[in-house]
Amino acid sequence: MEELARNIQSQNYYLDEVDSTSFITTIPIHLWYENTSNVPADKFLAPEMLKASFFKALEEFPILVGHLKSDAEWKTYIEVDKNNLNAPEYSDTQSEVHFQTIRDAGFNTNMLPSTFIEARVVPVPPTLVGTSIKNIRAHVVRFKENSGAVVFVMAAHNVFNGYGFHCFVSRWAEIARWMQNSAADGSSAVLPRRSFVHDRSIVREIRSSETDALDSSLRATMLCSDPMARVVGWFSPNVRAMMIRYSGVTTDFINCSFHIPADAIEALQREAQEFAPPDIPRYTKNDVLVSLISLAIAQCTAWDKHEGKSALVSTLNRLLLNRFLAGPSEFTTLLPVDMRAHIGSLKGVAYTGNTTFQKGFAASRDLFRMEPSARLVAELATRVHRSVATLSERAAHQYFGILNRQPYGHLQYVLHQVKLRNMMYIANNTRSAFHAIDFGAGAPALARAPAHGFPNLVIILPGHPSVGGYEASFTLCREVAERIVRHKYWMSFVDKHDIDV
């Protein structure tokens, strides 16, 4: 930490309200490496080298060692004080489990040491006063007989979106390889320079005061004043995190991982296209994949507390007492879409801040009660396609503008999402390149996003290059998880699945 402090400057990074909408979430990744070449323990992901390269990478990402604070005007910022850094969590642990054993168990994290860092969806400080939320955490677990290791990294989402997170992890890996190669051949090769932009002023210039390109629901949410957002805005970031963490929004969960072959989605894509409306000449794979997942989770979710308990109560609920007892009539699917490609000023710039636009669609419970089929997938895919198709540079500018109209805009936006009772969140990160992250031990045997604490959260990564397809991690309540592995239509597209119990 002393060397890190010498090599960075004290400064404040004021976050954009688009950043702050993600203050209750984290971005995690598990990278599993097998020691296939029997590299000696002191050379395979060498402990000192891996740790040194981690802190070396932080020199280029000083925002990760700052303290999250808010000023008198409720604006959130990260204070980097070189004399008082927010030390990251870094640990290196030995496991008594062999890599092959954990591979055979589907890379089940429950087999890892109890000290293994859990992926909490809401980053919380150890105490309300005197401590800060950690912006970055890393944990390396080494398996029995030097058979392999897993590298777990997790970052606060208000610092990064997926692009920025990948920038950090890949830079850490690049520095590790450089250190390893320099030590091996005694060379003095210069570390390649990279340039990353953490200053949010680059996006402040694009804010628009207009709102005509935005969804009516978003305008309605953000143009009114939510008293609760004002109340929460008075509290410190630490208190806000604690309020969300222990409010009951997060819950007990289990993680289900599914591998979906590419040809299965391509076949469904062709079949669903037969039912597409004239204005959609071709569904994308994203349209179909997201719709299939949305269908499966919605059909496996109890829409209200009465369903699945008593036929009599359910019948009375639907026919007689619906107005008073029933849950919401729609299921909402939120789809984070990176706006980076739609913002001209960010092209060619390694901007690490958040540029995520929350798109989405709603479908009625009656629609989800239909028999699952390609026709139903097409109905949902049409909604996905039309929702994502409305994204443009004009809409991106207006999105930044409307969230930044008031200093508690992110709280108003988050509280609106929290109120949605039947909701799922599907993040399609199939363009990410985590399977190429090489710390000097080659490519990982598997890259997987672990479970979070919100139910109905799905993270999709590309499958391993050797098999292709899609690796989807679901965070589900236990009863939903039990139903989804029995959902015949959904499971017909899955060739492998694992459940952490």
Side-chain angles (χ1 to χ4, degrees):
M1 288 295 291
E2 293 180 2
E3 183 177 354
L4 174 61
R6 287 195 300 268
N7 293 329
I8 63 174
Q9 300 297 318
S10 296
Q11 57 189 310
N12 291 341
Y13 293 95
Y14 270 85
L15 300 182
D16 190 88
E17 289 295 291
V18 174
D19 290 306
S20 296
T21 59
S22 300
F23 84 97
I24 63 171
T25 57
T26 55
I27 309 178
I29 191 71
H30 283 165
L31 301 169
W32 302 81
Y33 295 90
E34 184 174 11
N35 187 2
T36 56
S37 301
N38 295 319
V39 178
D42 61 339
K43 302 295 183 182
F44 179 75
L45 298 176
E48 292 302 320
M49 177 273 297
L50 202 59
K51 184 175 182 179
S53 57
F54 175 79
F55 282 93
K56 181 71 173 175
L58 287 174
E59 294 178 11
E60 300 177 40
F61 294 81
I63 192 171
L64 290 173
V65 290
H67 299 269
L68 183 65
K69 297 185 175 183
S70 57
D71 63 17
E73 297 180 349
W74 298 356
K75 294 180 180 178
T76 307
Y77 66 99
I78 293 179
E79 179 187 71
V80 179
D81 180 355
K82 64 187 304 175
N83 297 314
N84 180 32
L85 296 180
N86 182 11
E89 291 185 11
Y90 186 95
S91 60
D92 199 308
T93 305
Q94 181 63 46
S95 169
E96 294 305 313
V97 178
H98 196 279
F99 186 88
Q100 187 60 46
T101 302
I102 202 163
R103 179 201 283 274
D104 292 343
F107 297 98
N108 190 325
T109 56
N110 290 330
M111 299 179 68
L112 297 175
S114 60
T115 54
F116 188 71
I117 297 174
E118 295 181 355
R120 291 194 301 267
V121 69
V122 181
V124 294
T127 60
L128 286 177
V129 180
T131 59
S132 292
I133 295 170
K134 298 299 182 183
N135 296 321
I136 189 73
R137 303 158 72 198
H139 192 165
V140 182
V141 176
R142 300 173 186 278
F143 297 113
K144 186 178 180 180
E145 299 176 356
N146 189 33
S147 55
V150 57
V151 178
F152 171 49
V153 194
M154 183 167 69
H157 206 330
N158 57 356
V159 177
F160 289 151
N161 68 353
Y163 173 82
F165 183 55
H166 184 269
C167 283
F168 173 76
V169 179
S170 61
R171 182 57 170 168
W172 174 18
E174 182 179 29
I175 294 172
R177 293 195 308 274
W178 170 74
M179 286 185 170
Q180 177 176 282
N181 294 337
S182 297
D185 57 22
S187 67
S188 56
V190 177
L191 176 67
R193 293 180 60 83
R194 307 289 180 219
S195 178
F196 304 102
V197 178
H198 313 300
D199 188 348
R200 271 50 175 178
S201 62
I202 192 172
V203 294
R204 293 195 186 105
E205 303 169 358
I206 70 171
R207 297 174 186 169
S208 171
S209 60
E210 299 179 350
T211 62
D212 60 287
L214 300 176
D215 296 338
S216 58
S217 59
L218 178 61
R219 293 200 301 270
T221 299
M222 298 307 302
L223 294 180
C224 67
S225 181
D226 186 340
M228 183 57 68
R230 286 178 174 271
V231 171
V232 177
W234 283 102
F235 296 106
S236 69
N238 280 9
V239 175
R240 294 176 197 170
M242 288 288 193
M243 290 171 67
I244 295 292
R245 177 69 178 86
Y246 299 109
S247 66
V249 174
T250 59
T251 184
D252 291 333
F253 62 89
I254 59 176
N255 190 41
C256 304
S257 298
F258 300 92
H259 180 263
I260 305 101
D263 56 1
I265 294 301
E266 290 168 0
L268 181 58
Q269 181 184 20
R270 291 190 297 270
E271 192 175 355
Q273 192 64 46
E274 298 179 5
F275 305 101
D279 63 313
I280 302 180
R282 180 176 174 80
Y283 290 128
T284 66
K285 292 182 177 64
N286 177 72
D287 296 338
V288 173
L289 181 59
V290 166
S291 299
L292 178 63
I293 292 173
S294 179
L295 182 158
I297 293 179
Q299 291 195 333
C300 293
T301 300
W303 285 77
D304 56 59
K305 63 183 178 181
H306 305 285
E307 291 194 13
K309 293 186 177 181
S310 164
L312 176 61
V313 170
S314 297
T315 301
L316 289 173
N317 179 39
R318 287 196 299 269
L319 301 180
L320 303 177
L321 305 176
N322 188 64
R323 178 178 179 84
F324 304 102
L325 299 180
S329 61
E330 292 184 324
F331 205 109
T332 302
T333 301
L334 297 179
L335 310 170
V337 181
D338 197 332
M339 297 181 289
R340 196 176 308 273
H342 298 275
I343 302 174
S345 60
L346 296 184
K347 292 180 180 178
V349 178
Y351 174 65
T352 60
N354 282 271
T355 57
T356 302
F357 194 159
Q358 300 289 357
K359 301 297 291 182
F361 68 95
S364 70
R365 58 192 303 168
D366 290 334
L367 182 66
F368 284 118
R369 284 189 174 122
M370 295 172 57
E371 187 71 20
S373 63
R375 182 186 292 275
L376 180 53
V377 170
E379 176 68 32
L380 299 173
T382 298
R383 300 176 191 221
V384 176
H385 189 95
R386 288 174 176 166
S387 176
V388 176
T390 60
L391 190 59
S392 63
E393 182 161 8
R394 180 179 178 83
H397 289 194
Q398 293 184 12
Y399 183 71
F400 272 93
I402 199 169
L403 257 68
N404 284 280
R405 285 195 175 192
Q406 37 204 7
Y408 52 86
H410 71 282
L411 294 172
Q412 188 155 312
Y413 186 78
V414 170
L415 289 173
H416 170 71
Q417 292 192 7
V418 167
K419 293 174 185 176
L420 297 174
R421 284 181 52 195
N422 284 326
M423 183 265 288
M424 71 184 77
Y425 185 95
I426 304 177
N428 189 344
N429 297 320
T430 50
R431 294 183 180 179
S432 67
F434 282 106
H435 276 113
I437 298 292
D438 177 9
F439 290 95
L446 179 69
R448 176 180 289 175
H452 271 46
F454 279 125
N456 298 348
L457 173 63
V458 181
I459 301 177
I460 308 171
L461 294 178
H464 191 274
S466 63
V467 295
Y470 309 92
E471 183 78 25
S473 292
F474 289 38
T475 306
L476 302 171
C477 297
R478 185 171 299 276
E479 59 271 19
V480 178
E482 291 172 351
R483 293 187 192 115
I484 205 164
V485 295
R486 298 196 303 267
H487 192 287
K488 293 182 179 179
Y489 189 74
W490 159 249
M491 294 302 292
S492 70
F493 296 94
V494 174
D495 66 352
K496 183 179 180 182
H497 73 280
D498 301 294
I499 299 180
D500 291 355
V501 294

